[in-house]
Amino acid sequence: MSGPAPPAAPAGFSLNQQTVRQWSLPELAAGCAAAGVRRVGLWREPVREYGATAAARLVRDAGLTVTSLCRGGFLTAPDPAGRAAALADNRAAVEEAAVLGTDTLVLVSGGLPPGSRDLAGARERIADALAELGPFAAGHGVRLAIEPLHPMYAADRCVVSTLGQALDLAERFPARQVGVVVDTYHLWWDDTVAAQLVRAGESGRIAAFQLADWVTPLPEGVLLGRGQLGDGCVDLRWFRERVASAGYTGAAEVEIFNPALWAREGADVLAEVLDRYRHHVL
Amino acid sequence: MSGPAPPAAPAGFSLNQQTVRQWSLPELAAGCAAAGVRRVGLWREPVREYGATAAARLVRDAGLTVTSLCRGGFLTAPDPAGRAAALADNRAAVEEAAVLGTDTLVLVSGGLPPGSRDLAGARERIADALAELGPFAAGHGVRLAIEPLHPMYAADRCVVSTLGQALDLAERFPARQVGVVVDTYHLWWDDTVAAQLVRAGESGRIAAFQLADWVTPLPEGVLLGRGQLGDGCVDLRWFRERVASAGYTGAAEVEIFNPALWAREGADVLAEVLDRYRHHVL
């Protein structure tokens, strides 16, 4: 018995699984199919727990394509052992991305090592790592996508804080090896972002486009306070139009870290996300 | 009876009263005198509560000079009534600064109005207000000092997020009317800040230099989590050297919002600040 076909989600829409963290991978696959969603962004931890090959089969059987895998990175360790471990972990992430059939591995580049005040040095170590990882990734059909994170994460999570910085790093390497992520939550405040989006388009660097809104007050630790689309102050439509003008034709991936969303029924959250997407992004 | 003269605080050192918020103004004056501190940065609320004229006499009698008054600003209201109220309040702040004998009024420019997503519009309203306030301030011997705040405050507190943006605004006006504040807490993450400090020096715009360190995790609301000098990841000495190279000869004002400091004896906090200043700034 088959029910009515679900309404198709808007073309280009992708659901990052962190938005509905309460869902297991099978629930995600079923929930997306039921809602007419055809694209998902996945995270390594749940994929590895389920098994990458099994996860790839699961999402493929549900008619889903994987728009990105989050995340590699954390490439700022100064000691040889830390560096070697990070490179090995990123190679594993590339392989997992290839198994899942996505061409995009999102990188959260890493913060300052404990006790360090050397931002420039940390950024240079990221470049060194990209030089090693870029050819390996491209050989697997995967592009490393540097995600600039909001400057409030510069100390402990990612010393790449602006789209300009991300492009400065990416452009040292071939475009098929290294691109950038445009995430509205991280970039909305920056008055140079319009020019940097043009630059990113011209050099063919936009590997992923992610969406969340900015709401205040920020919670302790500032990790889990992202807003549902339309609840905050980000001009989401402006971003969509600008990445499109820059030549980006990939998915718009909604990635919202918000415990209030995780406390609800996943299907309700997804329906709300789709509604908000139609009203605030399209 | 007079005890031994206190050791002089380092030349250029100034104590912003928020660092020792537990002190009343008389306690601040006495505590600074006892510690050999000759300069303080004051805030409007405690000054108005004490009376601006009385506060001016109090600090003068303690041998203190006032390096800045915080804060004017909040200039982004779009409605005529809100705008008029903001202008009136800023004129009052200029007059209070003049009474205190400081030539610097720090501006926190204001966030987005409720429901707005128009960052560019908000920034332009700041420029409009500066055009009205600048001549008034200069007529009182006071310079308006635009403080770029960390981008995590862009929505609700200050849409001016980088030194470059602050200079873009300031340079529309004569240097004696409008300058900028260099605060390590807000600017440390930005890889364009070295170039912007040079620019600020060349155009004679550095009106104030403030210091706090960056520590994580950030607390809820992200207002009160600034670090004691040396506890975080900011290269404070680098900043002092760069503002000096840019020609700045004014005070280095330590302004740390941190409830853990406020829970201690003010004199202990000040002694620690001076010790940290000698080790991490000089």
Side-chain angles (χ1 to χ4, degrees), chain A residues 112 115-119 123 150-156 159 161-162 165 168 188-192 213-214 216-222 230-236 280, chain B residues 112 115-119 123 150-156 159 161-162 165 168 188-192 213-214 216-222 230-236 280:
Chain A
L112 287 171
S116 171
R117 299 184 173 96
D118 182 11
L119 282 167
R123 290 170 181 148
H150 192 283
M152 68 187 177
Y153 303 116
D156 52 2
V159 295
S161 303
T162 63
Q165 287 178 347
D168 288 345
W188 72 278
W189 59 271
D190 183 357
D191 66 343
T192 72
D213 215 333
W214 180 275
T216 57
L218 296 167
E220 182 182 0
V222 302
D231 280 353
C233 59
V234 180
D235 191 339
L236 301 168
H280 295 281
Chain B
L112 286 171
S116 171
R117 299 185 173 97
D118 182 11
L119 282 167
R123 289 168 182 149
H150 192 284
M152 68 187 176
Y153 302 117
D156 52 1
V159 295
S161 303
T162 63
Q165 286 179 346
D168 288 346
W188 73 276
W189 58 272
D190 183 357
D191 66 343
T192 71
D213 215 332
W214 180 275
T216 56
L218 295 167
E220 182 181 359
V222 302
D231 279 353
C233 58
V234 181
D235 191 339
L236 302 168
H280 295 281

Side-chain angles (χ1 to χ4, degrees), chain B residues 50-203:
Chain B
Y50 194 81
T53 305
R57 189 182 314 119
L58 176 75
V59 296
R60 193 170 55 239
D61 289 351
L64 295 167
T65 58
V66 180
T67 49
S68 75
L69 179 64
C70 293
R71 58 192 185 186
F74 297 97
L75 301 169
T76 53
D79 59 301
R83 173 179 164 79
L87 291 174
D89 186 58
N90 277 273
R91 288 193 192 94
V94 165
E95 291 167 343
E96 290 156 23
V99 166
L100 293 169
T102 179
D103 58 4
T104 302
L105 176 65
V106 174
L107 302 187
V108 172
S109 296
L112 286 171
S116 171
R117 299 185 173 97
D118 182 11
L119 282 167
R123 289 168 182 149
E124 203 53 36
R125 285 194 296 281
I126 297 166
D128 293 344
L130 293 173
E132 293 204 27
L133 294 170
F136 179 83
H140 285 73
V142 173
R143 180 151 72 155
L144 305 172
I146 303 168
E147 179 163 16
L149 259 59
H150 192 284
M152 68 187 176
Y153 302 117
D156 52 1
R157 197 156 293 266
C158 184
V159 295
V160 181
S161 303
T162 63
L163 186 54
Q165 286 179 346
L167 289 167
D168 288 346
L169 272 170
E171 289 174 356
R172 298 200 205 179
F173 307 98
R176 59 189 284 272
Q177 290 181 12
V178 184
V180 299
V181 180
V182 175
D183 186 316
T184 61
Y185 186 78
H186 298 301
L187 304 179
W188 73 276
W189 58 272
D190 183 357
D191 66 343
T192 71
V193 77
Q196 296 297 334
L197 286 169
V198 171
R199 172 186 171 195
E202 287 171 351
S203 60

